[in-house]
């Protein structure tokens, strides 16, 4: 019964958000044209989260979480984790580790609106931005909290892995705003997991802004798909 | 004449051969089909049982995993370990049950060590979170490739060999696929054809001298079973049935042959015996008087042939007359009868040629000159005038050819008179009869029988009588058996009659006496 109820409520949310998105479209296009005067709500959303300004400094944030600047940054950090001797998976167990972890995530996140994909040594969980966050905000939606809690529990159990939380936005609106929003959203998720016991050494955040769309930004539906947070889970292994 | 006989022989031979081949072929085909169907059913039943066993085991293992995950006990406590132990011990195919934290097997029951429980690549990760590793070298322990299932914190290692009950299998090689992936073979080293290389059902693979059966079970998850057995084994299994049925078939064929041969031999021996009897004048002749219905006096008789075989068996004319015609003895038979008549009644015929004897002749007799020449010769020899022998020919054998017509004319010119026998059973029209030179019409017995019973037939007989009168033919009614018929026929103007009412067919001397008596009583 509770599952059905949840599913129904999610469906209602999706529908509502899609409708809202459509209505907002012209407004946001207009905003892009007259950028400076159209920011109050967005700034408030960004500021209210952790007070970071638009000239966000990369590296460790105030909460001890790591915000990566780019992909190179991430791979360097992964190497550092290995060098520091963080617990890692033996090479011949990596397949087993990832198989079992995939199954466990499927079991725990089944029918929760989180998309799971597996590629050899990488598991990617995709959270729809409209479901996971308040509109134009990095505040995690209350419906998402139990899912992230469950995820935190699994990741704590499977601790020989590193997690990269990547925020993405659509292409509408000011680029800098989008970049900032994507970083803040990534940090929000990372923060939540960290709070659930995932060591800060295993987790990092990165914001890609509108740079890595997975769908066409010309349509409302495509933009909704592009507004997302991706969580990459990779084994820590000496390879 | 011989060609007709050859045709009959050929036909009989053909029927015999067909009669042999057809049942033989049918029997072989039926037995083969029956055996294949039986084998298909047997193998399919076997496959269904194996499939069901496997399905049941996998579902049982899945349920066990659910049960263990839902267990309330502290992990690796005595209670928990006992539960794992019980689960493993109570199922023959479970080799190990384990409790895991992430990828560490914390505790468990069973005897599996090494890396077999942590293979590098799962075969299936289901949406439910169930992971399954099909048997492969990476799940092998001591040469046995295990089937692994993990769900939640627990895993189960299954020995797939024990999913297949060897007792069910005789010498077949069997392979079992679950979700199109190989699960187990029996024997364990058996090499089986690819799952999709054969159609479902039974295939007879003649090239490899084997039978391949493929069955599928799709109740919960797809299970396919391939069973292979050498043809030799199939034959061995069905040989007793095949041999038994084959023997029965041969027996039937033998009986059929026996019957054919017996019939043939009887027919052939009868024909040759008849030829002997004709050649040696061993036929008898009896005479049935023809009577003037008005006066009751004898007006002649019809000569009827009788044949008694050497074994005293009496053969009816309905058998030996056609037999004689079929074997080219028709004219010889007629002449043999003639000789017999002349032998027995020669003096009377010479004395009273006006009381003639009717001799039955055939269409064959009329078709050749041989008969008419031989007839003339015999009569000359016996010094009997031609008018003392009346020739009877059946309506149906009276062929409408100029030859026949000319021959009849010639015979009449010599003094013979001509009678049409069994009249009314053919389809002669008045015009047709008119084209021949005839003297007498003999109305078939069926018409006499109908007198006083069937109005329509009685009507026809009146017409025949009128027709005969218009053609100026004498009329003889055959088969008269009662006084009543005599009266009726007389009223219709029929002059002559023949039948049991007057006399049965009697011997020559008896006929002479009968004739004499009828004259006396007049």
């Amino acid at each position: 019964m509770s599952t059905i109820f949840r599913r129904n409520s999610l469906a209602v949310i999706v529908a509502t958000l899609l409708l809202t998105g459509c209505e907002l479209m012209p407004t946001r296009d207009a905003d892009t044209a007259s950028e400076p005067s159209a920011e109050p709500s967005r700034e408030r959303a960004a500021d209210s989260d952790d007070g970071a300004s638009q000239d966000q400094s990369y590296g460790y944030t105030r909460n001890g979480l790591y915000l990566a600047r780019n992909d190179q940054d991430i791979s360097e950090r992964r190497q550092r984790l290995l060098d520091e001797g963080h617990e890692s998976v033996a090479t011949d167990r990596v397949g087993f580790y990832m198989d079992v972890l995939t199954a466990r995530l499927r079991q725990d996140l089944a029918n929760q609106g989180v998309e799971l994909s597996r590629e050899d040594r990488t598991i990617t969980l995709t959270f729809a931005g409209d479901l996971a966050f308040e509109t134009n905000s990095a505040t995690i939606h209350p419906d998402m909290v139990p899912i992230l809690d469950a995820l935190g529990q699994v990741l704590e159990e499977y601790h020989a892995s590193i997690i990269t939380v990547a925020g993405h936005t659509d292409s509408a609106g000011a680029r800098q705003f989008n970049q900032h929003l994507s970083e803040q959203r990534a940090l929000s998720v990372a923060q939540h997991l960290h709070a659930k016991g995932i060591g800060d050494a295993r987790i990092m955040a990165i914001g890609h802004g509108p740079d890595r769309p997975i769908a066409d930004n010309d349509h409302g539906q495509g933009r909704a798909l592009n507004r997302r947070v991706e969580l990459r889970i990779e084994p820590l292994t000496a390879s | 004449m011989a060609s007709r006989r050859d045709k009959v022989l050929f036909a009989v031979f053909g029927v015999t051969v067909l009669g042999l081949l057809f049942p033989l072929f049918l029997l072989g085909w039926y037995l083969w089909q029956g055996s294949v169907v039986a084998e298909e059913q047997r193998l399919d039943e076997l496959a269904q049982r194996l499939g069901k066993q496997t399905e049941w085991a996998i579902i049982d293992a899945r349920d066990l995993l659910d049960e263990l995950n839902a267990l309330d006990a502290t992990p690796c406590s005595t209670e928990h370990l006992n539960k794992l132990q019980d689960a493993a011990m109570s199922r023959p195919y479970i080799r190990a049950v384990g409790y895991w934290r992430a990828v560490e097997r914390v505790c468990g029951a069973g005897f599996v060590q090494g890396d077999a429980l942590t293979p590098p690549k799962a075969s299936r990760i289901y949406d439910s979170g169930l992971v399954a590793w099909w048997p492969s070298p990476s799940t092998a322990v001591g040469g046995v490739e295990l089937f692994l299932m993990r769900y939640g914190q627990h895993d189960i290692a299954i020995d797939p060999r024990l999913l297949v009950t060897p007792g069910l299998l005789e010498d077949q090689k069997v392979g079992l696929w679950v979700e199109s992936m190989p699960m187990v073979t029996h024997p364990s080293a058996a090499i089986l054809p690819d799952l999709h290389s054969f159609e479902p059902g039974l295939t007879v693979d003649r090239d490899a001298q084997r039978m391949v059966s493929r069955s599928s079970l799709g109740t919960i998850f797809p299970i396919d079973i391939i069973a292979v057995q050498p043809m030799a084994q199939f034959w061995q299994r069905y040989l007793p049935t095949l041999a038994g049925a084959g023997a029965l078939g041969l027996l039937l064929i033998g009986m059929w042959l026996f019957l054919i041969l017996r019939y043939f031999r009887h027919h052939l021996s009868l024909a040759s015996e008849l030829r002997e009897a004709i050649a040696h004048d061993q036929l008898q002749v009896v005479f049935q008087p023809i009577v003037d219905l008005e006066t009751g006096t004898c007006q002649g008789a019809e000569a009827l042939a009788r044949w008694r075989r050497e074994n005293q068996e009496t053969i009816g004319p309905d058998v030996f007359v056609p037999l004689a015609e079929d074997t080219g003895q028709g004219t010889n038979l007629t002449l043999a009868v003639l000789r017999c008549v002349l032998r027995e009644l020669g003096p009377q015929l010479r004395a009273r040629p006006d009381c003639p004897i009717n001799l039955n002749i055939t269409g064959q007799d009329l078709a050749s000159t041989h008969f008419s020449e031989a007839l003339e010769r015999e009569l000359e020899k016996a010094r009997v005038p031609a008018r003392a022998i009346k020739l009877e020919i059946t309506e149906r054998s009276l062929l409408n050819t100029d030859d026949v017509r000319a021959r009849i004319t010639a015979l009449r010119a010599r003094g013979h008179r001509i009678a049409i026998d069994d009249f009314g059973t053919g389809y002669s029209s008045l015009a047709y009869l008119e084209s021949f030179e005839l003297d007498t019409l003999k109305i078939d017995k069926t018409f006499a029988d109908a007198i006083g019973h069937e109005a329509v037939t009685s009507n026809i007989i009146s017409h025949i009588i009128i027709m005969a009168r218009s053609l100026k033919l004498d009329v003889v009614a055959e088969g008269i058996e009662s006084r009543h018929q005599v009266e009726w026929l007389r009223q219709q103007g029929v002059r002559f009659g023949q039948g049991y009412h007057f006399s049965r067919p009697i011997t020559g001397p008896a006929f002479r006496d009968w004739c004499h008596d009828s004259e006396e009583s007049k």
Side-chain angles (χ1 to χ4, degrees), chain A residues 89 92-100 102-104 106-108 110 118 156-159, chain B residues 100-103 115 117-122 125-129 131 133 150-153:
Chain A
V89 186
D92 57 350
R93 290 279 177 95
V94 173
F96 180 72
Y97 189 90
M98 294 311 281
D99 285 343
V100 175
T102 305
R104 180 67 191 282
R106 278 195 184 157
Q107 186 184 347
D108 287 4
R118 161 82 189 277
E156 194 194 353
E157 198 175 316
Y158 289 79
H159 41 68
Chain B
W100 296 67
R101 204 178 136 68
V103 293
D115 290 334
L117 294 181
T118 57
K121 187 158 172 43
I125 302 172
Y126 298 93
D127 287 343
S128 63
V131 195
W133 292 265
R150 169 152 169 181
Y151 184 60
Q153 281 80 44

Side-chain angles (χ1 to χ4, degrees), chain A residues 143-177:
Chain A
D143 280 344
M144 216 55 204
V145 171
I147 299 171
L148 287 175
D149 288 353
L151 179 60
Q153 210 177 330
V154 176
L155 291 176
E156 194 194 353
E157 198 175 316
Y158 289 79
H159 41 68
S161 60
I162 53 171
I163 301 126
T164 312
V165 187
H168 300 270
T169 65
D170 59 22
S171 62
R175 181 182 179 80
Q176 205 172 7
F177 172 81

Side-chain angles (χ1 to χ4, degrees), chain B residues 336-348:
Chain B
V337 172
L338 173 69
R339 279 194 298 274
C340 196
V341 169
L342 295 174
R343 216 168 32 243
E344 295 206 2
L345 293 179
Q348 164 154 342

